[in-house]
C-alpha cells in the first residue's frame, strides 16, 4: 500500500482543449482529492490573435498568441484546480491542410518517438492511474489531436505502467442534440457536401459503445468558467453563447471509451477510477 494519491493524466493538444473535453472530470476528481495532471502538447500559436485576427492575416503574431494562450491556460488551470501542468511547447500545427502543418517545428511534423519519449518521462514521474486522450482520429480530425493520441499510446508502450486508458468521445445522440442546439442559438448550418457529411456522421460513437459516463453536473460552472478563461478564442467556443445555466443543463455528462484496463471493472461505468478505489 502507498500514500500516493490516485492520479489522472489528461493529454491534450492545445490550450482550451482541457476545458472543452475534460473540464468536468478534471474539476470533479480534483475535488475528490485525486492528483490531476494536464499535459498540453502545443503552444496554441495558430489560434486567433487580439481582436480576432486570424492565422495568416496581417498582424497575426504566433509567438504573441502563444504567450497570451499560456496565460489563459494558467487561469483555466486555477479554475479547474489542476494540480500539475506540463506544457510540451510544440508549435501549433493549425487545421488539417494548413501550410503550418509542414512547418519544421510543428507538432504534426514532430517524430512520434520524440514526443512519446518526452511524455513517457512525465508518465514515469507522475505514475498516473488513469490516462485520458483522444481517439485515433483526434475526435474530429485535427492533426494536433491525432498526434497527441499517437504520442500518448506510444509513450504508454515505452513505460512499465498499466493505467486505465480512455479516449474522449461523444454519444451519437449527443451529436444530434448538439446540432439542434446550434440551430436554436441561431448558428448558420450550411449544408455539408456528401464527403463532409459522411465524416461528421462518424464522429463520436453509438450510445451503446460508450463505456464510461461520468456525471460532472456539479462542476459545470467551473467548466464554463474555464472555457471563458480562454477569452481570445471565445469566437470559436460556441458553448459560451449558451450562458452558464443552460450550459450546466446540457454539458453535465462527460463520456469516454475505455481502451485499456487491468481492474476488471464492469462496463458501462460511471467513474474513471472504477476498480481502483
Amino acid at each position: 500500500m502507498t500514500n500516493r494519491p490516485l492520479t489522472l493524466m489528461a493529454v491534450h493538444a492545445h490550450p482550451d482543449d482541457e476545458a472543452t473535453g475534460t473540464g468536468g472530470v478534471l474539476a470533479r476528481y480534483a475535488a475528490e482529492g485525486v492528483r490531476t495532471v494536464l499535459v498540453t502538447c502545443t503552444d496554441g500559436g495558430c489560434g486567433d490573435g487580439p481582436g480576432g485576427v486570424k492565422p495568416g492575416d496581417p498582424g497575426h503574431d504566433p509567438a504573441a498568441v502563444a504567450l497570451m494562450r499560456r496565460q489563459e491556460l494558467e487561469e483555466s488551470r486555477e479554475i479547474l484546480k489542476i494540480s500539475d501542468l506540463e506544457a510540451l511547447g510544440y508549435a501549433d500545427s493549425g487545421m488539417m491542410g494548413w501550410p503550418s502543418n509542414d512547418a519544421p517545428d510543428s507538432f504534426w511534423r514532430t517524430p512520434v518517438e520524440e514526443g512519446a519519449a518526452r511524455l513517457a518521462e512525465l508518465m514515469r514521474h507522475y505514475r498516473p492511474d488513469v490516462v485520458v486522450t483522444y481517439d485515433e482520429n483526434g475526435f474530429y480530425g485535427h492533426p494536433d489531436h491525432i498526434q497527441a493520441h499517437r504520442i500518448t499510446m506510444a509513450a504508454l508502450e515505452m513505460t512499465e505502467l498499466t493505467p486505465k486508458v480512455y479516449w474522449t468521445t461523444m454519444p451519437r445522440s449527443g451529436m444530434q442534440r448538439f446540432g439542434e442546439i446550434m440551430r436554436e442559438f441561431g448558428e448558420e448550418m450550411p449544408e455539408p457536401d456528401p464527403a463532409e457529411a459522411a465524416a461528421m456522421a462518424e464522429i463520436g460513437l453509438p450510445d451503446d459503445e460508450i463505456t464510461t459516463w461520468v456525471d460532472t453536473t456539479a462542476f459545470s460552472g467551473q467548466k464554463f468558467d474555464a472555457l471563458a478563461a480562454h477569452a481570445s478564442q471565445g469566437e470559436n467556443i460556441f458553448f459560451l453563447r449558451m450562458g452558464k445555466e443552460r450550459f450546466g443543463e446540457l454539458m453535465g455528462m462527460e463520456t469516454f471509451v475505455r481502451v485499456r484496463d487491468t481492474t476488471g471493472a464492469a462496463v458501462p461505468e460511471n467513474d474513471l477510477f472504477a476498480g481502483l478505489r
Side-chain angles (χ1 to χ4, degrees), residues 186-261:
E187 291 293 302
E188 292 294 329
M189 297 286 287
E191 192 69 29
D193 63 44
E196 184 180 346
M200 289 295 292
E202 293 302 313
I203 291 178
L205 289 172
D207 291 30
D208 61 0
E209 293 182 22
I210 305 290
T211 64
T212 311
W213 305 70
V214 184
D215 186 353
T216 62
T217 305
F219 304 92
S220 59
Q222 281 174 262
K223 181 173 179 174
F224 183 93
D225 289 343
L227 279 168
H230 295 281
S232 68
Q233 310 307 306
E235 179 183 332
N236 303 317
I237 303 176
F238 163 76
F239 304 107
L240 297 176
R241 302 175 205 178
M242 298 181 186
K244 186 176 287 188
E245 182 176 350
R246 189 71 191 282
F247 179 89
E249 293 171 1
L250 297 170
M251 304 298 293
M253 186 72 70
E254 292 185 350
T255 51
F256 306 85
V257 58
R258 191 175 83 189
V259 294
R260 292 195 183 184
D261 172 64

Side-chain angles (χ1 to χ4, degrees), residues 44-62 65 69 92-95 98-100 142 232-233 235-236:
C46 285
D48 290 356
V53 62
K54 303 296 182 184
D57 288 350
H60 186 276
D61 180 351
V65 171
R69 297 195 72 184
D92 190 341
S93 309
M95 299 298 286
W98 286 13
S100 49
H142 193 296
S232 68
Q233 310 307 306
E235 179 183 332
N236 303 317

Side-chain angles (χ1 to χ4, degrees), residues 21 98 118 130 133 137 157 161 196-197 203 220 231 266 272 275 277:
W98 286 13
R118 293 181 62 192
V130 171
T133 192
N137 192 44
E157 294 299 327
L161 304 172
E196 184 180 346
I203 291 178
S220 59
L272 296 178
R277 58 181 178 177

Side-chain angles (χ1 to χ4, degrees), residues 7 123 127-131 156 159-166 259-263 276:
T7 300
M123 289 179 174
R127 304 190 70 80
D129 301 283
V130 171
V131 173
L156 288 163
T159 75
E160 78 289 357
L161 304 172
T162 57
K164 297 178 78 177
V165 180
Y166 294 88
V259 294
R260 292 195 183 184
D261 172 64
T262 58
T263 70
L276 292 171

Side-chain angles (χ1 to χ4, degrees), residues 114-180:
E114 176 189 320
R118 293 181 62 192
L119 183 56
E121 283 301 306
L122 294 176
M123 289 179 174
R124 295 185 188 104
H125 174 73
Y126 289 107
R127 304 190 70 80
D129 301 283
V130 171
V131 173
V132 175
T133 192
Y134 315 99
D135 63 19
E136 305 101 315
N137 192 44
F139 185 62
Y140 68 98
H142 193 296
D144 287 331
H145 291 223
I146 294 170
Q147 190 76 330
H149 163 86
R150 290 173 176 170
I151 73 162
T152 300
M153 302 312 291
L156 288 163
E157 294 299 327
M158 293 178 178
T159 75
E160 78 289 357
L161 304 172
T162 57
K164 297 178 78 177
V165 180
Y166 294 88
W167 297 341
T168 56
T169 191
M170 184 177 286
R172 294 269 166 81
S173 62
M175 291 297 296
Q176 181 179 357
R177 179 65 180 138
F178 179 65
E180 294 169 357

